[in-house]
Amino acid sequence: MSKRFLDEYEPLLVKKIKPAQQTELPNLLLAAFSACIGGTFQYGYNISVINGPTEYVHNFINQTVSDRYQTGISDYLLTLLWSIIVTSLAIGGFFGSMISDTLALKLGRKGALLANNIFAVMAALMMGLSYPTGLYELLIVGRLLCGINAGIGLCVQTLYLSEIPPTTLRGAMGIGTCVSITFGIFVGQVVGLKEFLGKEELWPFLLSTTCIPAFLQLLILPFSPESPRYLLIDKGDIDGCKKALKQLHGARYEQELKDIEEEKKNLGSFKAKTAWEVMGDRSVRWQLIIICLLNAAQQLNGINAIYFYANYLFKEAGIPNDKIPYVTLGCGACECVTALTCGFLIDRLGRRVLIIGGYGIMSVCCILFTLTLSFQTASPVIPYLSMVCVFTFILSFGMGPGGVTNILSAELFTQNARPAAYMIAGSVNWLSFFFIGIVFPFIVIGLQQYCFLVFLAVCFFTALYIFLFIPETKNKTFLEIQNKINPSKNENHTDGSETVLLSTSF
């Protein structure tokens, strides 16, 4: 983080925080950066970096099969192998999500993030060795390991970012998950250009670069503290909690310590719940429904369809084929900008305004896409209207669902259920990602441009559900959020945990 950036922006950020809530902003930003660079940055990076060398990997598989069996490979089998390589990321992500809560509890949030880099380094080694050894199977193993790394990172990093900032900065800090994903996608697109590593002889090195963010995190993250909430509530380490709060929040840390102690007291004899216990707990059933719906909608809302149609729309608008990758790069840059903008607005406008507005605008874009694709040749202006829709949809996604979903997943649960809730939410997210990857091509073939009507239904009903059933969580402690969800919650804790019933009368 440059000194110039801190000189310009730290006074602006600190000015908006009450004197009693000022933080050691550089330490907080360093902790967030170090968590993100080896966490969800890897998720976004590995989604996009595989697109550049597609043709070269196809050639490698063809040559490998020919050398092994002295025969060519059918187009069907080649497509199947490529699909397995690509979707292995989602399968690994699902398994990574399944073990994330155990790692977060056993090793701590910081310890789990550091240990997670083992999978990234092993993945880089597997994919780098695939070409010299002539084993395309190593690409599948490498992508599977990348997925495990991304699955753990997506859950644990978001958990860490939700627990280290003061209440007034929790939304802005939590948006780091979305920013790092979109920045990872953008960097993967840049590195995959032919001017960098997007050449046929360099594709093994391109796929191996996933180890670089891992090494960066291993160098930087040890200087940041463990989550103060984890130290006090999970481990009972009051001295460690105070030390971490002082490092992250500065001298005025007493209010945040008081909030954590109040949460610990409210939880009674604390015991972190497993995923099975959380799923069987009727007191958090509606919270689980909310986060499962939001995480499924995040993958099923049509953002993948937009990127699928983007090249076609750009080509119809008269953009030369060799320039289309750079326009696609502009889409990635737009998503980064909106994610950053969401970070500045989320604690000012609130979560509900951004996510409902995002899904609302995306619903309108789905209607416009259906119309413009249906009448693409009716006027020379139509292709340009389609391009405007592409950028508007991406901007709306980054400003709303892309940025807010993970924050809400953290804020609707208290400490004893939060790691397991993240594991469940992450699993749903990855399963939805895998589902859309498998089913989406058939949806496009069957419905063509009318596939956006399916995504219209997803966006519209998700926005309606949020409007009716999800409360605003801006500037509220985790306990205040629980009390707002159910003002009449039972104060008698028979099992040492907090009993919360989700009311539908917000």
Side-chain angles (χ1 to χ4, degrees):
M1 189 63 63
S2 68
K3 184 177 186 301
R4 181 180 175 185
F5 177 89
L6 293 176
D7 289 342
E8 291 181 3
Y9 291 101
E10 183 175 5
L12 297 177
L13 290 174
V14 174
K15 185 178 179 181
K16 296 179 181 179
I17 307 171
K18 295 178 181 180
Q21 295 171 311
Q22 291 183 358
T23 66
E24 289 293 329
L25 190 60
N27 292 337
L28 196 60
L29 292 177
L30 179 64
F33 173 79
S34 57
C36 290
I37 193 63
T40 52
F41 176 89
Q42 294 274 36
Y43 173 32
Y45 185 79
N46 285 298
I47 285 175
S48 65
V49 78
I50 194 67
N51 295 324
T54 299
E55 180 184 350
Y56 309 139
V57 176
H58 282 183
N59 295 338
F60 166 61
I61 294 174
N62 265 321
Q63 186 61 46
T64 301
V65 172
S66 178
D67 292 342
R68 283 186 193 177
Y69 308 109
Q70 287 73 52
T71 184
I73 185 173
S74 67
D75 291 340
Y76 174 80
L77 185 57
L78 180 62
T79 302
L80 178 63
L81 287 173
W82 176 247
S83 297
I84 292 172
I85 291 171
V86 173
T87 56
S88 291
L89 183 75
I91 298 171
F94 173 75
F95 287 112
S97 297
M98 293 293 288
I99 63 174
S100 62
D101 63 328
T102 301
L103 291 177
L105 292 173
K106 298 293 184 182
L107 303 179
R109 287 40 164 165
K110 175 181 169 182
L113 287 171
L114 290 172
N116 188 33
N117 290 298
I118 296 173
F119 295 107
V121 174
M122 290 174 60
L125 184 64
M126 294 293 103
M127 292 187 290
L129 290 175
S130 61
Y131 182 77
T133 59
L135 296 172
Y136 64 79
E137 294 86 354
L138 291 180
L139 290 175
I140 300 174
V141 176
R143 289 285 291 179
L144 190 70
L145 291 170
C146 282
I148 294 174
N149 171 267
I152 296 171
L154 183 62
C155 296
V156 179
Q157 177 206 298
T158 313
L159 191 62
Y160 183 68
L161 293 187
S162 71
E163 294 180 353
I164 62 173
T167 300
T168 51
L169 289 180
R170 196 172 60 229
M173 192 61 58
I175 212 72
T177 296
C178 178
V179 172
S180 57
I181 292 174
T182 55
F183 187 61
I185 292 173
F186 178 72
V187 172
Q189 291 171 337
V190 172
V191 175
L193 294 174
K194 291 184 178 180
E195 289 82 352
F196 297 98
L197 297 179
K199 302 175 183 177
E200 186 164 11
E201 65 273 16
L202 295 177
W203 71 261
F205 297 100
L206 173 62
L207 297 183
S208 296
T209 52
T210 188
C211 68
I212 296 176
F215 287 132
L216 282 175
Q217 186 178 74
L218 288 171
L219 287 173
I220 303 172
L221 187 57
F223 296 99
S224 297
E226 179 56 89
S227 160
R229 270 188 157 75
Y230 172 79
L231 290 171
L232 181 56
I233 300 178
D234 291 68
K235 308 301 290 185
D237 184 359
I238 182 65
D239 293 332
C241 176
K242 288 181 179 179
K243 183 178 179 181
L245 284 173
K246 287 179 181 179
Q247 185 175 345
L248 294 168
H249 298 183
R252 299 182 178 93
Y253 67 92
E254 291 87 355
Q255 181 58 48
E256 200 66 27
L257 178 61
K258 182 180 177 181
D259 291 339
I260 298 174
E261 289 176 333
E262 183 65 25
E263 184 175 345
K264 180 178 175 61
K265 179 182 177 182
N266 197 73
L267 290 171
S269 55
F270 176 84
K271 179 181 181 296
K273 294 183 178 181
T274 65
W276 291 112
E277 289 173 336
V278 170
M279 286 190 286
D281 188 351
R282 296 182 62 183
S283 68
V284 295
R285 184 164 298 170
W286 278 102
Q287 287 98 311
L288 280 178
I289 291 174
I290 288 172
I291 65 167
C292 288
L293 183 145
L294 291 180
N295 278 273
Q298 192 177 32
Q299 294 294 343
L300 305 178
N301 57 31
I303 189 67
N304 298 291
I306 295 300
Y307 280 112
F308 179 86
Y309 272 103
N311 285 2
Y312 166 75
L313 296 174
F314 296 151
K315 189 180 298 184
E316 288 295 311
I319 298 173
N321 286 339
D322 59 333
K323 302 298 182 184
I324 287 178
Y326 302 96
V327 181
T328 305
L329 196 65
C331 293
C334 278
E335 202 168 351
C336 287
V337 171
T338 53
L340 286 167
T341 305
C342 183
F344 285 104
L345 294 178
I346 192 167
D347 283 318
R348 181 183 294 272
L349 299 179
R351 284 62 158 155
R352 276 168 53 87
V353 170
L354 290 177
I355 196 167
I356 292 173
Y359 275 119
I361 297 173
M362 289 163 67
S363 299
V364 174
C365 287
C366 285
I367 297 173
L368 295 177
F369 267 123
T370 304
L371 294 174
T372 55
L373 288 172
S374 298
F375 301 100
Q376 194 74 5
T377 58
S379 167
V381 178
I382 298 296
Y384 294 97
L385 292 178
S386 299
M387 286 183 61
V388 171
C389 283
V390 168
F391 285 95
T392 304
F393 194 98
I394 292 172
L395 291 170
S396 303
F397 174 79
M399 189 73 73
V404 181
T405 299
N406 287 315
I407 296 173
L408 284 175
S409 297
E411 293 180 333
L412 294 176
F413 294 88
T414 46
Q415 190 80 5
N416 62 337
R418 195 176 298 121
Y422 260 114
M423 186 276 282
I424 296 168
S427 299
V428 170
N429 195 297
W430 284 104
L431 286 174
S432 301
F433 180 58
F434 178 76
F435 173 80
I436 199 68
I438 296 296
V439 174
F440 175 68
F442 299 100
I443 295 176
V444 173
I445 292 171
L447 299 178
Q448 297 183 359
Q449 70 269 24
Y450 298 105
C451 69
F452 286 100
L453 296 179
V454 177
F455 303 126
L456 167 63
V458 172
C459 292
F460 176 77
F461 285 109
T462 302
L464 182 63
Y465 185 88
I466 295 167
F467 177 77
L468 294 175
F469 298 116
I470 300 182
E472 180 56 69
T473 59
K474 179 183 70 172
N475 291 340
K476 292 179 174 59
T477 67
F478 293 118
L479 285 180
E480 288 173 339
I481 294 169
Q482 297 301 318
N483 289 332
K484 186 173 183 179
I485 289 175
N486 179 30
S488 60
K489 74 181 182 71
N490 182 14
E491 298 293 344
N492 297 320
H493 308 295
T494 58
D495 61 349
S497 63
E498 184 178 22
T499 303
V500 180
L501 297 176
L502 185 65
S503 171
T504 57
S505 59
F506 311 132

